[in-house]
Coordinates of all heavy atoms in Angstrom, one line a residue:
W57 N 0.1 -19.6 -2.7 CA 0.9 -19.2 -3.9 C 0.6 -17.6 -4.1 O 1.6 -16.9 -4.6 CB 0.7 -20.0 -5.2 CG -0.8 -19.8 -5.7 CD1 -1.9 -20.5 -5.4 CD2 -1.3 -18.8 -6.7 NE1 -3.0 -20.0 -6.0 CE2 -2.6 -18.9 -6.8 CE3 -0.6 -17.8 -7.2 CZ2 -3.3 -18.1 -7.6 CZ3 -1.3 -16.9 -8.1 CH2 -2.7 -17.0 -8.2
C110 N -1.8 -15.3 7.9 CA -2.3 -16.7 8.3 C -3.8 -16.5 8.8 O -4.0 -15.7 9.7 CB -1.5 -17.3 9.3 SG -2.1 -18.8 10.0
W130 N -13.0 -16.8 6.6 CA -12.0 -15.8 6.3 C -11.0 -16.2 5.3 O -10.8 -15.3 4.4 CB -11.3 -15.4 7.6 CG -10.2 -14.4 7.4 CD1 -8.9 -14.5 7.7 CD2 -10.4 -13.1 7.0 NE1 -8.2 -13.4 7.3 CE2 -9.2 -12.5 7.0 CE3 -11.5 -12.3 6.6 CZ2 -8.9 -11.2 6.6 CZ3 -11.3 -11.0 6.3 CH2 -10.0 -10.4 6.2

Side-chain angles (χ1 to χ4, degrees):
W57 68 268
C110 171
W130 177 244

